[in-house]
């Protein structure tokens, strides 16, 4: 659970594919139980081999299923000890059977989750991969058309949205009108876009438009940083108030490129609480903290 949520299933699957830790040839140490020396037996792996693990360093037994999918439904056959400190009461082998519990118990639920995770046929990634080649091709054509329209509007500095974007509107805004214009001469785009696209996959919503713009901004900034490299540069600032009386700070970089030409690149706009030196300095650091340009370089150059 300490891993990023996006890769936790991959980590669990890696554990399951590797299998439980079962050092069968290990010389298990003995423990004193009421005057009798007892120790872990490798024969238990034969009976509980799918989940039973043994830690050499702790001299304790663990449950692989419950470790990966622990369910907080109370203690069940020493459930917590098979996940946390480990089970060490070699005198009571019956606790291993008790730990498996009923069909709806915590251990059985964890076991089913592990089996489902290993069953790639019903995994969500596999379901998505079963999409037909035609559907994938149509999606790519539809997405490329939306990206082309967004790139044109961004390059020309034009607005995306229209005052009335309903189907009865005579002018639905620059983005939708440009997409319709792009569909007219291109039969391949027209066949999969707008009215011919699935209702939930038109790729024309404001959220999609903003997502494309954000991706373009990231790629553009990365290209500027790559062109800048390790060369010296200066920062140009200009602040003004918008219609809501909020202070905005525009930031641009000025430097000499590899061809010896002086260039100025606009980096972004940042809202600031005030135009004091300290406020602008903090805003600059915050703006560049998300890019490849380190704060130390900014401080070195003033």
């Amino acid at each position: 659970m300490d891993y990023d949520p996006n890769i936790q299933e991959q980590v669990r699957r890696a554990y399951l594919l590797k299998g439980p830790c079962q050092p069968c040839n290990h010389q298990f140490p003995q423990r004193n139980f009421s005057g009798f020396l007892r120790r872990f037996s490798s024969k238990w792996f034969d009976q509980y081999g799918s989940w039973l693990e043994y830690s050499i360093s702790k001299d304790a037994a663990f449950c692989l299923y419950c470790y990966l999918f622990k369910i907080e439904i109370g203690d069940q056959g020493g459930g917590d000890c098979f996940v946390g400190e480990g089970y060490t009461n070699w005198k009571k082998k019956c606790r291993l059977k008790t730990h498996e519990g009923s069909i709806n118990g915590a251990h059985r639920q964890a076991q089913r989750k592990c089996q489902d995770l290993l069953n790639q046929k019903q995994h969500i990634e596999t379901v998505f991969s079963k999409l037909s080649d035609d559907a994938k091709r149509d999606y790519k054509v539809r997405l490329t058309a939306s990206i082309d329209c967004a790139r044109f509007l961004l390059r020309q500095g034009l607005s995306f949205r229209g005052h009335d974007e309903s189907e009865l509107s005579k002018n639905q805004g620059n983005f939708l009108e440009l997409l319709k214009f792009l569909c007219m001469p291109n039969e391949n785009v027209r066949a999969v876009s707008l009215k011919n696209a699935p209702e939930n996959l038109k790729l024309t919503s404001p959220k999609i438009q903003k997502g494309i713009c954000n991706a373009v901004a990231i790629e553009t900034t990365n290209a500027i940083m790559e062109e800048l490299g390790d060369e010296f540069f200066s920062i140009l600032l200009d602040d003004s108030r918008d219609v809501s009386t909020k202070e905005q700070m525009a930031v641009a970089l000025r430097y000499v490129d590899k061809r010896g030409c002086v260039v100025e690149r606009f980096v972004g706009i940042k809202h600031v609480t005030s135009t004091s030196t300290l406020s602008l300095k903090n805003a600059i650091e915050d703006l560049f903290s998300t890019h490849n340009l380190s704060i130390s370089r900014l401080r070195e150059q003033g």
Side-chain angles (χ1 to χ4, degrees), residues 77-78 81-82 87 89 92-100:
C81 73
F82 280 92
Y87 183 70
N89 191 354
K92 296 183 179 180
K93 175 193 171 184
C94 60
R95 294 292 294 274
L96 299 177
K97 181 64 176 179
T98 304
H99 171 73
E100 291 185 330

Side-chain angles (χ1 to χ4, degrees), residues 26-71:
H26 176 66
Q27 295 295 326
F28 300 101
Q30 295 179 330
R31 290 176 180 261
N32 192 321
F33 292 93
S34 302
F36 295 92
L37 295 178
R38 301 180 184 275
R39 60 185 175 187
F40 183 90
S41 174
S42 60
K43 295 181 180 180
W44 297 344
F45 290 142
D46 298 333
Q47 189 173 356
Y48 308 101
S50 62
W51 60 266
L52 183 61
E53 291 191 301
Y54 176 83
S55 171
I56 295 178
S57 60
K58 295 184 177 182
D59 184 30
F62 295 87
C63 175
L64 178 61
Y65 297 156
C66 295
Y67 172 74
L68 296 179
F69 291 98
K70 182 181 178 182
I71 304 175

Side-chain angles (χ1 to χ4, degrees), residues 223-232 255-263 265:
I224 294 173
M225 296 305 173
E226 184 177 353
E227 181 185 38
L228 176 60
D230 296 327
E231 300 299 329
F232 289 95
Y255 56 93
V256 179
D257 64 11
K258 297 178 181 179
R259 296 175 296 178
C261 300
V262 178
V263 295
R265 303 297 188 192

Side-chain angles (χ1 to χ4, degrees), residues 16 65 68-69 110-119:
L16 291 172
Y65 297 156
L68 296 179
F69 291 98
Q111 181 181 13
R112 287 193 291 269
K113 287 181 177 292
C114 291
Q115 292 173 348
D116 292 341
L117 185 60
L118 289 177
N119 187 359

Side-chain angles (χ1 to χ4, degrees), residues 13-238:
R13 189 180 297 113
Y15 272 103
L16 291 172
L17 291 176
K18 191 174 182 179
C21 178
Q22 298 178 344
C24 297
N25 298 324
H26 176 66
Q27 295 295 326
F28 300 101
Q30 295 179 330
R31 290 176 180 261
N32 192 321
F33 292 93
S34 302
F36 295 92
L37 295 178
R38 301 180 184 275
R39 60 185 175 187
F40 183 90
S41 174
S42 60
K43 295 181 180 180
W44 297 344
F45 290 142
D46 298 333
Q47 189 173 356
Y48 308 101
S50 62
W51 60 266
L52 183 61
E53 291 191 301
Y54 176 83
S55 171
I56 295 178
S57 60
K58 295 184 177 182
D59 184 30
F62 295 87
C63 175
L64 178 61
Y65 297 156
C66 295
Y67 172 74
L68 296 179
F69 291 98
K70 182 181 178 182
I71 304 175
E72 301 291 345
I73 58 174
D75 184 46
Q76 172 190 292
D80 283 341
C81 73
F82 280 92
V83 176
E85 297 298 325
Y87 183 70
T88 58
N89 191 354
W90 313 136
K91 182 180 179 181
K92 296 183 179 180
K93 175 193 171 184
C94 60
R95 294 292 294 274
L96 299 177
K97 181 64 176 179
T98 304
H99 171 73
E100 291 185 330
S102 63
I103 189 172
N104 292 321
H107 174 84
R108 298 293 185 181
Q109 293 183 47
Q111 181 181 13
R112 287 193 291 269
K113 287 181 177 292
C114 291
Q115 292 173 348
D116 292 341
L117 185 60
L118 289 177
N119 187 359
Q120 293 295 309
K121 291 183 179 181
Q122 64 183 28
H123 195 270
I124 187 171
E125 294 179 357
T126 305
V127 174
F128 278 121
S129 67
K130 288 183 178 179
L131 291 174
S132 66
D133 293 337
D134 291 341
K136 292 180 181 179
R137 184 182 66 251
D138 293 347
Y139 178 84
K140 185 176 181 180
V141 173
R142 194 179 308 121
L143 177 61
T144 302
S146 295
I147 293 175
D148 289 341
C149 293
R151 289 176 59 190
F152 177 83
L153 296 176
L154 290 172
R155 183 180 291 274
Q156 299 302 119
L158 300 175
S159 61
F160 279 57
R161 305 292 304 283
H163 177 69
D164 182 6
E165 294 186 345
S166 64
E167 294 185 0
L168 300 178
S169 175
K170 294 182 179 180
N171 188 346
Q172 294 182 304
N174 290 333
F175 183 86
L176 293 178
E177 292 295 335
L178 182 59
L179 183 58
K180 288 193 292 185
F181 179 80
L182 183 64
C183 290
M184 286 192 298
N186 195 323
E187 184 178 353
N188 293 332
V189 178
R190 184 172 65 251
V192 298
S193 300
L194 297 175
K195 294 182 179 181
N196 296 324
E199 288 295 330
N200 62 341
L201 199 60
K202 292 182 179 295
L203 300 180
T204 59
S205 68
K207 186 176 181 180
I208 294 296
Q209 295 176 27
K210 291 179 181 179
I212 294 175
C213 292
N214 183 61
V216 172
I218 293 174
E219 292 300 322
T220 302
T221 304
N222 289 339
I224 294 173
M225 296 305 173
E226 184 177 353
E227 181 185 38
L228 176 60
D230 296 327
E231 300 299 329
F232 289 95
F233 63 94
S234 60
I235 302 177
L236 305 180
L237 302 180
D238 188 18

